[in-house]
Amino acid sequence: MSDPIVTLATSKDLPKLDVDEAGLPDALRERHIEPRIVAWNDPDYDWNDAGVVVVRSVRDYGRDPQAFISWARSVPRILNHADIMAWNSDKHYLRELEAAGLPTIPTTWLEPEENLTKHQVHTRFPAHGDFVVKPAVSSGGRGTGRYTATDPASRSQAILHAQHELAKGRSVMVQRYLENIDRTGEVSLIFLNGLASYRVEKAPLLHPRFRSADQIQEEVVSVSEARESEWRWGERVRNVLHGLIREHTGRDHLLLFNRVDIVPAAPGDPNEFYVMEISLIDGSLYLSLDESHLNRFADAIAVRTAW
């Protein structure tokens, strides 16, 4: 009997996967799985012969999300499910998390169809403090900027940033920058096949002059044990998420991977968090940070090839 095939979907910009995932093919071979690495939009690859398709380094999907989702829906065996990725590709999903009772960072949404003037964009920014402008559909922090409300030059740059995204037909998110992120950073909780697996801490990324128009920014990440309160919060998020998945797809789906990003809601409070983001498409799983992360993910994939 031949080894099962797993095709790791990547982008043409990353033909050998992201550096964080470079060890994954060898880890799969050790589990008697034949790995293939193929750009998701490669017209010459037969996706009907792809085995289980695991979506990973598709950092370019935000450039044409409709084409990406159309491709995903054409693939017979893809993880995570295409309908789930369609939902997760647009950060308007944060509204649904909030409606379901999960605290999220307060967000002002600017929509292309509103045809906002420069003055109207200006009035939708915070009056004080720092804030973040980013498109609702993006990958790897592309199109994200941090600005200062009381600095006229910074505010003008933020207006131009928002107008640029809106002119491209993209919804824009405006969020107040949480100052306690500078002290605590963010926490990512990783679930594999529905089970709590590991946790990493991320240092603050958006320094006051941060701009990321088209480049993915490097994160400073460390491994540490999750507090019980964090896993409890992660389970709460996971339960809400699966309820929304059932609502959107008509049935529950076992997610191969699920990364939940949280940040303390207030300095010194270890029990209350904001949900920053849920990553079900190409968010980093920090596989190169610790060998156990790579092995756990490879094991999770191996389980799914046996189904």
Side-chain angles (χ1 to χ4, degrees), residues 105-260:
I105 296 176
T107 302
T108 298
W109 301 86
L110 311 181
E111 306 295 349
E113 59 270 21
E114 293 177 301
N115 295 314
L116 298 172
T117 65
K118 181 177 180 179
H119 176 72
Q120 288 171 324
V121 171
H122 163 77
T123 61
R124 283 159 172 77
F125 290 163
H128 57 84
D130 283 10
F131 62 97
V132 174
V133 174
K134 59 186 175 182
V137 179
S138 66
S139 174
R142 286 187 177 92
T144 299
R146 175 179 170 183
Y147 303 95
T148 301
T150 54
D151 182 323
S154 182
R155 197 176 183 92
S156 294
Q157 289 176 339
I159 293 171
L160 292 174
H161 180 173
Q163 288 184 311
H164 171 78
E165 298 293 343
L166 291 168
K168 296 286 187 179
R170 302 169 184 147
S171 299
V172 172
M173 305 167 65
V174 180
Q175 297 178 322
R176 186 177 298 283
Y177 184 77
L178 301 179
E179 298 298 336
N180 54 304
I181 292 178
D182 288 334
R183 293 186 286 274
T184 64
E186 300 176 31
V187 168
S188 288
L189 303 173
I190 313 296
F191 296 81
L192 300 176
N193 284 334
L195 301 176
S197 188
Y198 54 92
R199 174 250 206 208
V200 301
E201 269 184 22
K202 298 185 286 186
L205 177 64
L206 301 184
H207 58 76
R209 292 180 301 282
F210 179 90
R211 302 290 181 271
S212 175
D214 295 305
Q215 296 182 347
I216 298 172
Q217 300 298 305
E218 295 294 329
E219 294 179 304
V220 178
V221 188
S222 59
V223 181
S224 55
E225 292 296 321
R227 302 183 184 92
E228 183 181 349
S229 60
E230 291 173 343
W231 281 126
R232 282 201 308 268
W233 199 263
E235 285 294 334
R236 178 181 169 187
V237 174
R238 194 179 67 83
N239 288 334
V240 168
L241 173 62
H242 280 271
L244 291 172
I245 287 173
R246 288 191 295 271
E247 181 180 320
H248 280 273
T249 68
R251 65 185 181 91
D252 204 357
H253 293 269
L254 181 63
L255 301 171
L256 172 62
F257 55 89
N258 171 18
R259 193 188 88 195
V260 177

Side-chain angles (χ1 to χ4, degrees), residues 23-43:
L24 187 54
D26 284 343
L28 293 175
R29 290 187 189 97
E30 290 172 2
R31 289 157 177 80
H32 304 288
I33 295 169
E34 178 190 337
R36 300 176 182 174
I37 306 172
V38 183
W40 67 269
N41 50 0
D42 184 339

Side-chain angles (χ1 to χ4, degrees), residues 3-4 17 29 33 54 61-62 77 89 91 93-94 96 102 156 170 179 183 187 210 249 253-254 267 278-279 302:
D3 290 342
L17 299 175
R29 290 187 189 97
I33 295 169
V54 175
Y61 82 83
R77 299 176 67 191
S89 67
K91 291 184 178 62
Y93 72 77
L94 290 169
E96 297 184 54
L102 294 176
S156 294
R170 302 169 184 147
E179 298 298 336
R183 293 186 286 274
V187 168
F210 179 90
T249 68
H253 293 269
L254 181 63
I278 293 176
S279 298

